[in-house]
Amino acid sequence: MRPVRRDTPRTLPARLLTGLAALIGLVVVGALCPGAALAQSPAAASAAVPSPGAQAAGLHISDGRLLEGNGNDFVMRGVNHAHTWYPGETQSLADVKALGANSVRVVLSDGHRWSENGPADVAAVIEQCKANRLICVLEVHDTTGYGEDAAAGTLDHAADYWIGLKDVLAGQEDYVIVNIGNEPWGNTDPAGWTEPTTAAVKKLRAAGLQHTIMVDAPNWGQDWQGVMRANARSVYDADPTGNLIFSIHMYSVFDTAQEITDYLNAFVDAELPILIGEFGGPADQYGDPDEDTMMATAEQLGLGYLAWSWSGNTDPVLDLALDFDPSRLSGWGERIFHGVNGIAQTSEEATVYGGGAPDDTEAPTAPGTPSATAVTDTSVTLGWVAATDDTAVTGYDVVLVGDGAGTTVASSTTTTATVTGLTAATTYTFAVHARDAAGNRSAPSATVEVTTDEGGGTPDGTCSVGYRVVGEWPGGFQGEIAVRNTGSAAVGPWTLAFAFADGQSITNMWGGTATQNAGAVSVAPASYTATIPAGGTVTLGFTARKGDTNTAPAAFTLDGASCVTT
C-alpha cells in the first residue's frame, strides 16, 4: 500500500478553524497556567512504576524539558519515516543521520489497520536507530482520526500493543520514546480525546513501562479546537512518573506566526513539555503552513521538531527525499535539512552516543581513487573503494577541486554518486571524502579528471538547469527544477525564467515564488535559496495543472542569460 501522508480530512476551511482556535485559546489559556490548574491525583500504579520525582533512567521530563539520563537537555531535530509501509527501506535511517538528524519518528502498526510490526521487527528498528546514533520515537499509526475515520483503531488497543512489546522496549529508555498513537482523534467530538488518552497513559505505567511517553493532539493532530491545550495539565498529572511530552502537528491550520507562537508559548509558560511532532511547509488546498515561524520558534524556545516525511507519500509534495534517495532532496527537503533553523544548522547528537564529547575523534580513512563512468555532456557517475572507520562510515561527499579547495557537489551513503549540472566540453577534477556518525571527515581521496562530452552549443550564461516530472495524475503533476551555478562566483538573488508550451499552470512552489503570465513563468528565490554558490545547486519543487500533454520547457534563463538544459 502506498499511503497518503496522513489521511487528514478537515471539515472546515483553515481560516475558519484558525478563528475558532483563537477564540477557544482565550477561554482555555488559564487552564495551562500552573498556578491556576488543579493538580489531579494520579491513579494508583504498580510498584514497578516510580513515584513522581524519582530518579529517571534514560530520557525523562524535568521542569517542562526533555532531558537525557545524565540531565543533558535534548532537543529533537529529525524527520518522520514510514517504516510500516516501506519495511525494506532500512537504509533511510542512515541517510537521515548522514544529513544531520539526531532523531527519527518511525511509523509502526499495531495490526488494527495495517500489518502488525512484530517484536523482532521493532527490535531491529531500535537497533538500527542506535547503530545510526539516533533517538527513536516509535508511534502506532492505526489510531489516526479515530471518531471520524471508521477504519481507525483505539488508543486502548495501541496501549495493549506497547505492553506486548514490553520485553523489546525494556532497557531502551535512553534511546526510545513511545508515541502511543498518531493523531488519535478526528474532528468529531474532539473533547472525547482526553479520557482515552489519560487511560492509555495510566495503562502503560501500570504495566511497568518507564519510557518517556508522547501523546498526540486531537483534530487530526492540529488541536484547532484547543482540547489538548485546555486539558494538558490534567493529562500530564495522570502520569505518575511525570515523563510525558505533548506533540502538536502543524499543517495548514498553523498558517500565521501568531497562531504558532501563541500555541507553543502557552505550553512553555506552563512548564508543560511539547514538541512539533509533525509539520509541513508546502501549501495545500486548505492553506499555506508557516514553516519558517515553526522552525524559528522551535529554535528560540528550544523545542524539538520532526518534519513530515522522509519519502514515500502518495502525494509526493511532502517527500523530503525523492524515491528514498538522499542525493535527490526536494525543495521541502532542502528547506528542512539545509535552510535557516534547519537540521544541519541546529541539530546536536544525543550525548548517550558521545555527542558533544571527544569519544570519537578518529576520522575515516580516505576513500579509494574515484573512477568515472557514464560521462555525458552534463553529468558523470563516480565510483570508489570504500573507506574504513573505527565505528562506521555513514556517508561520502564528492567535491569539485579547484584552487586548492573543494566544493561539495554530491553526497552519497554508498560508494557511487552521480554529479549533474556540468558544462559540456569542460574538464573537472573530483575527489571524495568519507564521513562517520560523529561527523569526522576523512582526508580527500586521490583526484580524478573528467572531461564532459561535447554539447549542443555554448550558452551565454554560467548556469545549467535540470527539469523533470516527479509524478503525474489526471489533470496535474509535480515537477522539480535543479538550477546549477557553473560559474566561478556566487549568484543571487536571482530570477529564473521559462515557458510552458501546453497550458500548464503552477499551483504551488517551494524553494521559490512563481509568477505566471499565460505560459511564461518567472521564479524569484526563497530566503534559503537566494544565493547559489559557485558550483552549487538549488532545487525548486512545484505542483501544477496540466492537460493531455505535458511537454517540458525548452529553454531556461537565469538573470536573462540562457542556461544549458539537462
Side-chain angles (χ1 to χ4, degrees), residues 10-11 58 74 105 120 180 197 199 222 261 308 335 373 375 400 411 432 438 441 469 472 505 516 521 529 553:
R10 299 172 182 82
T11 57
F74 182 68
R105 181 171 178 258
I180 307 177
T197 299
Q222 296 199 79
T261 57
W308 188 276
R335 174 69 186 97
T373 58
V375 179
L400 178 63
S411 296
V432 182
R441 197 184 198 207
V469 173
E472 292 188 85
S505 175
Q516 186 165 351
V521 180
T529 59

Side-chain angles (χ1 to χ4, degrees), residues 294-313:
M294 296 175 200
M295 296 168 72
T297 305
E299 179 64 12
Q300 176 192 2
L301 298 176
L303 304 179
Y305 65 64
L306 300 166
W308 188 276
S309 77
W310 177 240
S311 197
N313 293 285

